[in-house]
């Protein structure tokens, strides 16, 4: 028995969830302690197949699940980089376009033998922040925005996820918003943090005007440098960095699957 399998076996099964985060470069999963939101073991990660078709990704999902030797009745949570409606992918970002129109939950079930609850990746990460992370005591409307290759977004109102709340593609000053304000653009154009913050100011002020949230949470890898740019923003809404970082998708997928079991 592997150490990961033993760690799962030693935890009360009622308190365990399991999440898998499908990304354009890697697919990673881990069991999650549902009381604390902590990972019970280290994440197990495999590269996303170059041909990231449903069949190829299904094989990787099976390998990730097999690594942990889950109970047969385990209900797993899966994030997907695209709009999800009733388990079916409506869009696909950074993965094969053959996913569009595909029932991701059924692909997962056939590949792994487990029932699956599928959710948009930004929704999963954002929801995790409201349950275990930076917004866990916040009432009202929370907008979680991840600044990375693009801009991911999640809206949670009084603890309830509003799915597929897509704000990365808002038109702003004649541009797709993420083409101006994503952290990848900062890197590509060599912008300093103050220069990038001017673009973020325009974006966040526009989103604030449209939705009047009670809290902004900013995620993505660049959030580790939040002291370099968040203090430069002038907003009415409090804005804080995300806490769960690259674990958020796994954690959110696991807790949403447990709630929808």
């Amino acid at each position: 028995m592997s150490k990961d399998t033993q760690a799962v076996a030693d935890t009360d099964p009622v308190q365990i969830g399991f999440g898998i985060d499908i990304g354009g470069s890697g697919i990673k999963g881990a069991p999650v302690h549902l009381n604390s939101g902590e990972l019970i073991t280290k994440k197990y990660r495999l590269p996303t197949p170059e041909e990231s078709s449903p069949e190829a990704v299904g094989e990787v999902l099976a390998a990730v699940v097999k690594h942990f030797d889950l109970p047969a009745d385990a209900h797993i949570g899966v994030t997907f980089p695209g709009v999800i409606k009733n388990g079916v992918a409506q869009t696909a970002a950074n993965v094969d376009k053959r996913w569009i129109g595909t029932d991701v939950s059924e692909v997962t079930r056939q590949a792994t033998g487990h029932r699956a609850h599928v959710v948009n990746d930004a929704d999963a990460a954002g929801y995790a922040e409201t349950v275990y992370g930076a917004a866990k005591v916040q009432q009202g409307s929370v907008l979680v925005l991840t600044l990375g290759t693009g801009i991911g977004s999640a809206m949670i109102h009084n603890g309830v996820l509003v799915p597929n709340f897509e704000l990365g593609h808002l038109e702003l000053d004649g541009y797709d918003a993420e083409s101006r304000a994503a952290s990848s653009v900062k890197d590509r154009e060599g912008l300093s943090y103050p220069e990038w913050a001017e673009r973020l100011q325009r974006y966040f002020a526009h989103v604030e005007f449209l939705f009047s949230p009670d809290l902004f949470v900013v995620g993505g890898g660049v959030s580790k440098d939040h002291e370099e740019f968040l203090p430069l923003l002038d907003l009415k809404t409090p804005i804080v960095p995300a806490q769960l970082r690259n674990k958020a998708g796994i954690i959110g997928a696991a807790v949403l699957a447990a709630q929808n079991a």
Side-chain angles (χ1 to χ4, degrees), residues 110-194:
Q110 291 187 7
T112 69
H114 292 272
R115 293 179 302 129
H117 179 75
V118 181
V119 63
N120 169 265
D121 52 0
D123 284 347
Y127 188 71
E129 290 290 342
T130 67
V131 178
Y132 305 109
K136 64 182 177 182
V137 296
Q138 181 68 48
Q139 293 298 305
S141 298
V142 177
L143 264 176
V144 183
L145 295 162
T146 57
L147 305 175
T149 304
I151 297 177
S153 55
M155 167 69 87
I156 300 91
H157 181 67
N158 287 335
V160 178
L161 174 68
V162 182
N164 301 312
F165 205 78
E166 177 57 70
L167 299 182
H169 298 290
L170 284 175
E171 183 179 329
L172 190 60
D173 300 329
Y175 295 93
D176 187 88
E178 67 177 24
S179 73
R180 298 281 291 166
S183 67
S184 61
V185 177
K186 172 190 176 299
D187 296 338
R188 185 169 63 248
E189 297 187 14
L191 301 175
S192 66
Y193 276 111

Side-chain angles (χ1 to χ4, degrees), residues 15-30:
Q15 300 174 341
I16 297 177
F18 189 80
I20 299 178
D21 192 4
I22 299 175
S25 61
I27 298 172
K28 53 187 184 289

